[in-house]
């Protein structure tokens, strides 16, 4: 029940698509972000259109007079609300135009034009119709190495039976034949002369010489001729296991005229082998380092560059198979089936079949592979356009959809497959006025060409109602025809020409336009737009900064940037503000440089740093103001001389009674030494944006006499404290002896007596020399002798 509903939905959708998308255009979807249209950096119509698909530009001459140029860019609805007439709004439409006149039997539509703006996406439906009985060209490419003898014998008898079977699927069936072995160079073959002539000489068999690829029979409907050619084939031989299959496949794909591929037919390339193929880098084993050039090199139906060019890469082979709409069928013997099976994701339109012993299932393998290929409809997208994305969603006949996938399986003959194609544009850079995308169902000989026309630049035309000034002080030839020049209202032609000059010294229309009816018709330039009353403005001849003309802070007039307020420089990238150059004491660049474009340029070569604050060899503020302080000191702080000294000092000078030290390096005090071994303190301090010197009135003096009394005092104190410490220690010792009952004399005599005997409680420790490390302890219990 569900599948039935899906099928009905698919049929309904297909009818609607055919009606809406093929005969008319689709509607694109665009993001809406009004803030992108009102940026202050917008300086031209082209810049406005590039901001987003929802942006429009008003060319009405009296629109918002006196405001900034970027005010002309906004949402179309906002421009109308602000008073811009819709005829004067430049906002190209995003649309899809389908050429309904191009006919096709399999792929519809064949020709599509897309008008896109940055940030927009459009959709259209591509229909692929799989025909039931289609012309078929099948080219046999057979490995004729010695191990393929039995398969080659089977192929000699399969021609007629295969033709009869294929007549069920095709009313026009043709066959061709080619053979391959390997590159005839060492180490792939034995290069001993007898072995070159007969690779099978060791087995007493006459073999043909090894060859890269030989085209034997072009596509023909004469099965008798095909059978005769196959029966004449003989095996060959080589040394290594892999063969040169990719070399042969590539030549069979690109040599279209030699093989005889028909444009209106399905192209099948049947490769029969029992071994894998050499890959591109394998050729270096033979010293072949020239990459494959992708061209046909058949001379007398033999691949002439087999010993000179590398094997093609898998990518090159896939590209040529796709380009020439060729299906590949690998009929593989033995255990190499899995090796070729891994190629399916890499080679589009590929089927792998396992060839049984003596190729007994060759006919069935070919028929099954063909049916499988017809049951899959895969869409290939050829697009290398920067800034353009293509997304494909397959809508299969049973009604299922596969977003992001480009293939439907199990498609029956005469069923239709739909593909929803979504094309979006992200940017205009690198995209010309026209670019192309090709949509190619693999294996079909019909292709859909999608032409993309970018709507990234203004195309000013004559507005309705014959209103002049369509392009902001520009005029078109149509406007001139409709301006109804009245000789009673106009003066001589010279006067009309003067109306097109900014002044008498300037050329008419700045030399970049024509003067019509007293107004300038500006020239068209591929570099950008030329506009202005006298064609003096443009969007390309002035310097750029960070990708914006005049840095986004000015207008380009007569090739020079006119900067907005607060900006200067050739490309208006310099800010006139000096806030970023001020030090904490409100000094510009520490007084050692100037502020240019908001950054300090140090004029003193000894200074460095962001604010020129680093200068190890520069004089400090103390040294700089020493002469000024000296003037005041020599005049004894006389109030009458203060004014005179201040004229020699850049800062103001004040006398103070207190100076407080500060942790800040800026406000630490300085010392001025005098001959009397005194010093005065003075300090630099910014007050109300001006530098001032504060000098402490009272000096601090240090004399030589002041050191001697201090030294004597410390010396006496040290001696007194030492004597007192010795006396106290002596008293403590005497007291301890008195408590033990021993006189000081007895203690002294005992300690100095020569004859000494151990007491009853003493221990004597002896060491034995004969046994190092051994120690004996003897305890003496003898009584003490009388002294």
């Amino acid at each position: 029940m569900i599948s039935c509903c899906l099928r009905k939905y698919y049929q309904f959708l297909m009818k609607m698509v055919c009606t809406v998308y093929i005969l008319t255009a689709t509607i694109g979807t665009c993001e809406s972000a009004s803030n992108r249209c009102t940026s202050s950096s917008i300086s031209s119509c082209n810049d406005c259109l590039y901001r987003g698909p929802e942006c429009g530009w008003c060319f009405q001459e009296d629109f918002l007079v006196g405001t900034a140029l970027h005010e002309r860019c906004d949402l179309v609805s906002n421009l109308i609300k602000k008073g811009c007439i819709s005829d004067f709004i430049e906002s190209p439409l995003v649309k899809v135009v389908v050429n309904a006149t191009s006919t096709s039997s399999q792929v519809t539509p064949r020709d599509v034009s897309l008008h896109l703006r940055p940030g927009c996406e459009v959709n259209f439906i591509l229909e692929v119709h799989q025909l039931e009985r289609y012309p078929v060209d099948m080219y046999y490419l057979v490995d004729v190495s010695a191990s393929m003898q039995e398969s080659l014998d089977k192929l000699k008898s399969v021609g007629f039976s295969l033709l009869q079977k294929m007549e069920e699927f095709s009313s026009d069936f043709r066959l061709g034949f080619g053979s391959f072995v390997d590159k005839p160079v060492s180490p792939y073959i034995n290069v001993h002369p007898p072995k070159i002539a007969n690779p099978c000489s060791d087995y007493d068999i006459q073999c043909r010489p090894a060859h890269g690829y030989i085209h034997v029979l072009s596509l023909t409907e004469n099965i008798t001729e095909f059978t005769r050619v196959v029966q004449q084939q003989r095996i060959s031989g080589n040394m290594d296991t892999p063969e040169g299959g990719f070399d042969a496949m590539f030549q069979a794909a690109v040599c279209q005229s030699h093989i005889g591929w028909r444009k209106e037919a399905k192209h099948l390339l049947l490769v029969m082998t029992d071994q894998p193929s050499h890959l591109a880098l394998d050729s270096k084993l033979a010293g072949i380092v020239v990459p494959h050039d992708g061209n046909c090199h058949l001379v007398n139906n033999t691949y002439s560059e087999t010993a000179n060019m590398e094997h093609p890469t898998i990518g090159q082979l896939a590209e040529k198979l796709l380009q020439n709409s060729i299906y590949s069928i690998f009929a593989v013997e033995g255990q190499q089936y899995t090796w070729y099976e891994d190629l399916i994701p890499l080679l589009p339109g590929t089927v792998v079949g396992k060839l049984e012993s003596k190729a007994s299932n060759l006919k069935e393998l070919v028929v099954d592979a063909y049916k499988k290929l017809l049951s899959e409809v895969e869409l290939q997208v050829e697009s290398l356009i920067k800034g353009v994305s293509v997304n494909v969603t397959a809508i299969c006949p049973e009604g299922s959809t596969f977003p992001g996938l480009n293939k439907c399986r199990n498609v029956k003959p005469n069923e239709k497959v739909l593909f929803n194609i979504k094309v979006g544009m992200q940017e205009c850079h690198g995209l010309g006025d026209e670019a192309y995308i090709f949509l190619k169902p693999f294996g079909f000989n019909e292709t859909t060409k999608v032409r993309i026309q970018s709507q990234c630049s203004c195309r000013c035309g004559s507005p309705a109602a014959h209103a002049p000034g369509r392009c902001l002080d520009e005029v078109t030839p149509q406007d001139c025809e409709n301006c109804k020049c009245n000789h009673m209202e106009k003066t001589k032609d010279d006067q009309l020409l003067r109306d097109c000059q900014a002044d008498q010294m300037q050329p008419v229309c700045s030399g970049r336009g024509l003067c019509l009816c007293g107004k300038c018709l500006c020239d068209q330039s591929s570099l950008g737009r030329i506009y202005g009353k006298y064609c003096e403005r443009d969007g390309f001849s002035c310097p750029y900064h960070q990708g914006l003309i005049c840095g986004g802070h000015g207008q380009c007039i007569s090739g020079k940037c006119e900067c907005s307020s607060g900006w200067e420089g050739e490309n208006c990238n310099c800010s006139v503000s000096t806030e970023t150059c001020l030090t904490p004491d409100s000094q510009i660049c520490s007084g050692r440089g100037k502020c240019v474009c908001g950054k300090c340029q140090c004029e003193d070569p000894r200074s460095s740093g962001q604010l020129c604050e680093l200068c190890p060899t520069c004089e400090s503020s103390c040294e700089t103001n020493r002469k000024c302080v000296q003037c005041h000191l020599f005049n004894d702080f006389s109030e009458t001389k203060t004014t005179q000294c201040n004229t020699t000092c850049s800062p103001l000078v004040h006398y103070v009674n207190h100076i407080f030290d500060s942790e800040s390096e800026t406000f630490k005090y300085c010392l001025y030494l005098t001959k009397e071994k005194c010093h005065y303190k003075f300090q630099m301090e910014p007050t109300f944006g001006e530098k001032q010197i504060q000098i402490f009135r009272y000096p601090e003096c240090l004399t030589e006499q002041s050191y001697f009394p201090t030294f004597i005092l410390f010396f006496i104190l040290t001696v007194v404290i030492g004597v007192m410490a010795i006396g106290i220690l002596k008293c403590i010792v005497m007291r301890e002896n008195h408590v033990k009952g021993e006189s000081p004399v007895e203690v002294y005599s005992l300690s100095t007596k020569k004859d000494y005997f151990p007491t009853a409680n003493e221990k004597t420790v002896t060491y034995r020399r004969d046994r190092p490390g051994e120690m004996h302890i003897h305890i003496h219990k003898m009584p003490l002798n009388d002294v």
Side-chain angles (χ1 to χ4, degrees):
M1 181 67 182
I2 296 176
S3 61
C4 180
C5 293
L6 289 174
R7 183 174 294 276
K8 290 183 179 180
Y9 169 77
Y10 167 81
Q11 294 174 351
F12 171 76
L13 176 63
M14 187 180 64
K15 291 181 180 179
M16 293 297 294
V17 165
C18 293
T19 304
V20 176
Y21 287 96
I22 297 177
L23 299 180
T24 62
T26 60
I27 300 175
T29 58
C30 307
E31 299 178 2
S32 178
S34 59
N35 61 332
R36 295 187 300 185
C37 307
T38 56
S39 173
S40 60
S41 62
I42 297 176
S43 59
S44 66
C45 176
N46 290 349
D47 192 12
C48 176
L49 298 186
Y50 182 75
R51 295 301 170 123
E54 69 281 357
C55 301
W57 179 267
C58 181
F59 287 104
Q60 189 171 322
E61 189 172 352
D62 57 351
F63 178 70
L64 300 179
V65 178
T67 60
L69 192 63
H70 68 83
E71 295 290 340
R72 292 182 173 272
C73 184
D74 205 337
L75 297 175
V76 174
S77 58
N78 290 344
L79 292 175
I80 295 176
K81 291 179 182 178
K82 293 178 182 179
C84 184
I85 302 174
S86 58
D87 291 335
F88 290 89
I89 297 177
E90 182 80 12
S91 182
L93 296 177
V94 176
K95 58 183 178 179
V96 178
V97 179
V98 176
N99 184 4
T101 60
S102 59
T103 59
S104 173
S105 59
Q106 302 171 90
V107 182
T108 307
R110 293 285 301 277
D111 191 4
V112 180
S113 295
L114 307 180
H115 299 259
L116 299 178
R117 291 177 60 178
C120 257
E121 289 182 339
V122 294
N123 297 68
F124 65 93
I125 293 294
L126 184 71
E127 177 186 312
V128 180
H129 184 198
Q130 184 72 278
L131 298 181
E132 183 175 7
R133 296 176 63 81
Y134 207 83
V136 175
D137 289 342
M138 178 177 289
Y139 188 80
Y140 279 85
L141 191 57
V142 181
D143 175 8
V144 293
S145 59
S147 58
M148 289 289 293
Q149 178 67 66
E150 294 181 350
S151 298
L152 185 61
D153 293 339
K154 178 64 177 179
L155 180 61
K156 297 175 181 179
S157 61
V158 78
F160 283 105
S161 59
L162 181 61
L163 174 63
Q164 294 175 353
K165 189 65 178 178
M166 288 298 296
E167 285 180 350
E168 300 177 9
F169 306 97
S170 174
S171 57
D172 189 356
F173 183 64
R174 295 188 180 184
L175 291 173
F177 185 86
S179 66
F180 69 91
V181 182
D182 208 341
K183 289 184 179 296
V185 293
S186 178
Y188 308 126
I189 68 169
N190 192 330
V191 294
H192 191 60
K195 289 290 186 180
I196 295 177
N198 181 16
C200 308
S201 58
D202 292 343
Y203 305 98
D204 296 329
I205 301 175
Q206 185 62 40
C207 293
R208 63 193 297 191
H211 55 274
Y213 164 65
I214 295 178
H215 168 56
V216 180
L217 178 66
S218 299
L219 291 165
T220 177
E221 57 187 4
N222 189 341
I223 302 301
T224 303
E225 179 65 14
F226 173 81
T227 304
R228 184 187 66 81
V229 168
V230 173
Q231 289 176 347
Q232 293 177 350
Q233 300 303 308
R234 290 183 299 151
I235 61 172
S236 180
N238 61 328
M239 292 184 64
D240 63 337
T241 298
E243 318 292 5
F246 286 174
D247 250 351
M249 289 180 65
F250 197 91
Q251 292 301 304
V254 298
C255 299
Q256 294 281 303
S257 59
H258 294 78
I259 306 301
W261 296 112
R262 294 176 294 173
K263 291 184 178 181
E264 69 277 7
K266 293 283 186 184
H267 302 159
L268 302 182
L269 181 60
L270 176 63
V271 182
M272 295 178 58
T273 184
D274 61 350
Q275 298 295 341
S277 174
H278 278 296
L279 302 176
L281 297 181
D282 294 351
S283 306
K284 290 178 171 54
L285 295 173
I288 302 174
V289 296
V290 178
H292 203 292
D293 61 4
N295 297 322
C296 175
H297 294 284
L298 285 185
V299 178
N300 296 325
N301 290 330
T302 301
Y303 179 32
S304 60
E305 297 296 323
T306 181
N308 301 322
M309 284 188 181
E310 287 186 343
H311 294 278
T313 65
I314 294 180
Q316 285 179 310
L317 181 59
E319 179 185 3
K320 293 303 179 181
L321 293 175
L322 174 63
Q323 181 179 339
N324 296 296
S325 304
I326 296 176
Y327 289 114
S328 300
I329 302 175
F330 289 101
V332 184
E333 288 186 1
Q335 299 178 353
Q336 303 302 332
Y337 175 82
T338 55
W339 192 90
Y340 284 94
E341 196 174 30
D342 292 337
L343 293 176
I344 293 178
L346 305 176
L347 298 177
T350 299
V351 176
V352 179
K354 184 175 292 186
L355 199 61
E356 296 178 358
S357 178
K358 298 183 180 181
S360 58
N361 66 329
L362 178 61
K363 180 181 66 175
E364 291 76 13
L365 187 151
V366 172
V367 173
D368 292 343
Y370 180 69
K371 290 167 63 177
K372 184 177 180 180
L373 291 172
L374 290 182
S375 67
E376 293 184 355
V377 177
E378 181 178 359
L379 185 67
Q380 300 290 329
V381 180
E382 297 180 10
S383 172
L384 296 176
I385 305 175
K386 181 181 178 181
V388 175
S389 62
V390 181
N391 195 327
V392 178
T393 298
I395 307 173
C396 299
E398 73 276 9
S400 57
T401 60
F402 300 95
L405 296 179
N406 58 346
K407 180 188 294 187
C408 284
R409 293 183 172 87
N410 301 320
V411 179
K412 298 178 181 179
N414 289 325
E415 286 189 334
K416 297 180 180 180
V417 178
L418 304 181
F419 294 97
N420 182 29
I421 313 298
K422 180 184 292 185
V423 182
M425 177 186 290
Q426 288 77 40
E427 58 183 15
C428 292
H429 294 305
L431 187 63
D433 292 337
E434 287 189 357
Y436 294 91
I437 294 175
F438 295 95
L439 305 176
K440 184 178 182 63
F442 190 83
F444 290 74
N445 53 25
E446 297 179 3
T447 302
T448 296
K449 182 173 69 174
V450 181
R451 181 185 297 104
I452 297 179
Q453 297 178 328
S454 61
Q455 304 292 317
C456 300
S457 59
C458 294
R459 293 176 174 83
C460 303
S462 177
H466 310 298
R470 164 73 170 179
C471 293
L472 185 58
D473 298 330
E474 290 182 3
V475 63
T476 64
Q478 293 88 345
D479 296 330
C480 184
E481 295 176 1
N482 297 316
C483 70
K484 300 178 181 179
C485 297
N486 192 328
H487 293 286
M488 298 299 295
E489 298 176 356
K490 297 290 182 180
T491 58
K492 297 181 180 180
D493 293 343
D494 291 343
Q495 180 61 42
L496 294 177
L497 291 177
R498 282 194 292 270
D499 291 341
C500 297
Q501 292 177 283
D503 55 63
Q504 294 182 355
M505 302 301 295
Q506 297 293 328
V508 174
C509 298
S510 303
R512 302 193 296 181
L514 298 176
C515 182
L516 301 175
C517 297
K519 290 192 176 183
C520 288
L521 171 63
C522 300
D523 296 336
Q524 299 293 324
S525 174
S526 59
L527 300 177
R529 180 169 163 264
I530 301 174
Y531 63 100
K533 184 176 181 180
Y534 305 107
C535 301
E536 76 281 9
R537 303 187 180 190
D538 60 64
F540 57 87
S541 64
C542 287
Y544 284 73
H545 179 68
Q546 294 182 349
L548 298 176
I549 192 167
C550 297
H553 304 118
Q555 297 185 17
C556 183
I557 300 178
S558 299
K560 295 183 178 180
C561 290
E562 288 196 1
C563 303
S564 304
S565 177
W567 297 90
E568 62 182 6
E570 183 181 8
N571 51 9
C572 301
N573 66 321
C574 291
S575 174
V576 299
S577 174
T578 60
E579 293 183 1
T580 56
C581 299
L582 295 178
T583 60
D585 58 348
S586 302
Q587 193 177 19
I588 295 179
C589 300
S590 304
R592 302 189 185 102
K594 59 183 179 179
C595 188
V596 179
C597 296
K599 295 182 179 179
C600 285
Q601 289 186 356
C602 302
E603 296 179 328
D604 190 333
R606 300 171 297 174
S607 61
S608 61
Q610 186 176 0
L611 299 175
C612 304
E613 72 279 8
L614 304 177
C615 188
T617 60
C618 293
E619 291 184 350
S620 64
S621 59
C622 297
E623 296 295 330
T624 304
N625 298 286
R626 189 170 298 279
K627 292 184 179 180
C628 179
V629 175
Q630 185 180 20
C631 176
H632 287 270
L633 294 179
F634 284 173
N635 289 283
D636 299 327
F637 299 113
S638 172
E639 297 292 342
T640 58
K641 298 290 186 177
T642 299
T643 305
Q644 179 181 353
C645 287
N646 281 343
T647 58
T648 64
C649 306
S650 55
L652 298 177
V653 179
H654 299 282
Y655 309 136
V656 296
N657 296 326
H658 300 282
I659 289 183
F660 300 97
D661 195 7
S662 173
E663 295 182 357
S664 173
E665 293 291 338
T666 307
F667 304 114
K668 282 191 174 182
Y669 62 80
C670 307
L671 298 179
Y672 182 86
L673 300 178
T674 64
K675 294 181 180 180
E676 294 78 12
K677 297 185 179 179
C678 298
H679 63 258
Y680 284 87
K681 290 183 178 180
F682 66 93
Q683 187 180 51
M684 295 292 301
E685 181 177 358
T687 304
F688 302 109
E690 297 183 356
K691 290 184 178 180
Q692 298 188 9
I693 300 178
Q694 295 181 349
I695 304 177
F696 184 50
R697 293 177 182 272
Y698 309 105
E700 297 179 357
C701 299
L702 296 175
T703 62
E704 293 181 358
Q705 292 77 7
S706 62
Y707 293 107
F708 185 74
T710 304
F711 173 76
I712 295 299
L713 178 61
F714 274 99
F715 178 77
I716 294 173
L717 288 175
T718 303
V719 172
V720 171
I721 293 172
V723 171
M724 292 176 64
I726 294 173
I728 293 171
L729 181 62
K730 198 170 185 180
C731 293
I732 293 172
V733 173
M734 294 176 63
R735 184 176 179 181
E736 288 181 352
N737 293 335
H738 178 73
V739 172
K740 295 180 179 179
E742 298 177 355
S743 65
V745 177
E746 292 175 345
V747 173
Y748 177 75
S749 62
L750 180 63
S751 62
T752 58
K753 193 168 182 66
K754 294 182 179 179
D755 298 326
Y756 173 74
F757 298 94
T759 63
N761 296 325
E762 284 186 270
K763 296 179 181 179
T764 302
V765 180
T766 63
Y767 296 89
R768 295 187 59 178
R769 295 175 179 270
D770 57 340
R771 294 183 183 181
E774 202 173 289
M775 179 177 67
H776 297 272
I777 301 174
H778 302 279
I779 302 175
H780 300 274
K781 297 184 178 180
M782 293 183 298
L784 291 172
N785 295 329
D786 294 336
V787 179

